[in-house]
Amino acid sequence: MIKPAAGDRAGATDSAALDAVAARVCAQAQPADRTLLDAFVRQYYRQVDPEDLAAHSVEELAGAALSHWQFGRVRGEADRGRARVRVLSPAAAEHGWTSRHTVIEIVNDDMPFLVDSASMEVNRQGLTLHLIVHPVLAVERDASGALQRVAARRDAPELPRESWMHIEVDRQVDAASRPHLAAGIARVLADV
């Protein structure tokens, strides 16, 4: 079960834990974004093994989902056909949440071999992979590239597919190593 953060009570079921994560994310969002964010969080963690999430607090999971949402919520025309990649070592003062790992956030058009390619690059750089969250979302975006709708693939077969990857690796305390990691991931995904 997901460990509740101080003050959180995740409940006895995975559904209750997911409810707690969604509630925390939505509490930090603008009212106009809450319905879309709730759907996003539920799709984001839907296929992750509960045992993989058990080592994370509700606060960590909410911070990770909100961070990725903020990174990928607008994906303009220039982003089509290429991966958006960001690498960060979350710290409360800078990012509003914390993780004991360095986090790689990726938003890309869905295609085969994305996880394998990113994992191989992580390994090539000598890092240990600790967690992968990889929802493939059916998305609707407006003309500016802003998310308007997020759904499970089966619920919206007519919508384009996007791969959202959250990858946790060994914490990179040297800030100079993070751009190198991001560039390596972007390079291998461009080759896919």
Side-chain angles (χ1 to χ4, degrees), residues 15-168:
S15 177
L18 190 54
D19 289 346
V21 173
R24 182 173 285 270
V25 168
C26 290
Q28 298 176 54
Q30 297 295 322
D33 292 333
R34 289 181 181 155
T35 300
L36 184 56
L37 253 173
D38 183 78
F40 172 78
V41 169
R42 291 174 191 286
Q43 290 304 313
Y44 193 74
Y45 289 121
R46 185 174 63 85
Q47 294 186 338
V48 178
D49 189 319
E51 291 180 17
D52 288 338
L53 296 178
H56 296 76
S57 69
V58 168
E59 185 176 72
E60 277 182 284
L61 295 170
L66 187 58
S67 176
H68 210 164
W69 159 268
Q70 290 166 339
F71 178 62
R73 78 178 289 173
V74 177
R75 190 166 178 245
E77 201 57 40
D79 296 318
R80 296 284 181 226
R82 70 177 185 88
R84 292 193 71 208
V85 180
R86 174 168 70 173
V87 176
L88 59 152
S89 292
E94 184 179 352
H95 303 100
W97 66 291
T98 61
S99 173
R100 64 185 177 275
H101 299 126
T102 289
V103 173
I104 304 164
E105 295 174 337
I106 302 166
V107 181
N108 196 45
D109 298 333
D110 185 38
M111 59 187 68
F113 308 114
L114 295 175
V115 173
D116 292 340
S117 298
S119 297
M120 286 189 307
E121 180 60 17
V122 164
N123 290 332
R124 189 190 72 74
Q125 292 199 25
L127 301 172
T128 301
L129 203 147
H130 296 280
L131 175 69
I132 295 180
V133 176
H134 181 228
V136 176
L137 305 173
V139 299
E140 181 179 338
R141 293 182 179 273
D142 67 15
S144 70
L147 277 173
Q148 300 297 303
R149 181 176 169 209
V150 201
R153 293 178 290 181
R154 70 179 179 280
D155 296 337
E158 75 285 2
L159 293 179
R161 307 290 188 264
E162 289 182 355
S163 168
W164 291 57
M165 283 187 275
H166 166 99
I167 303 171
E168 294 185 15

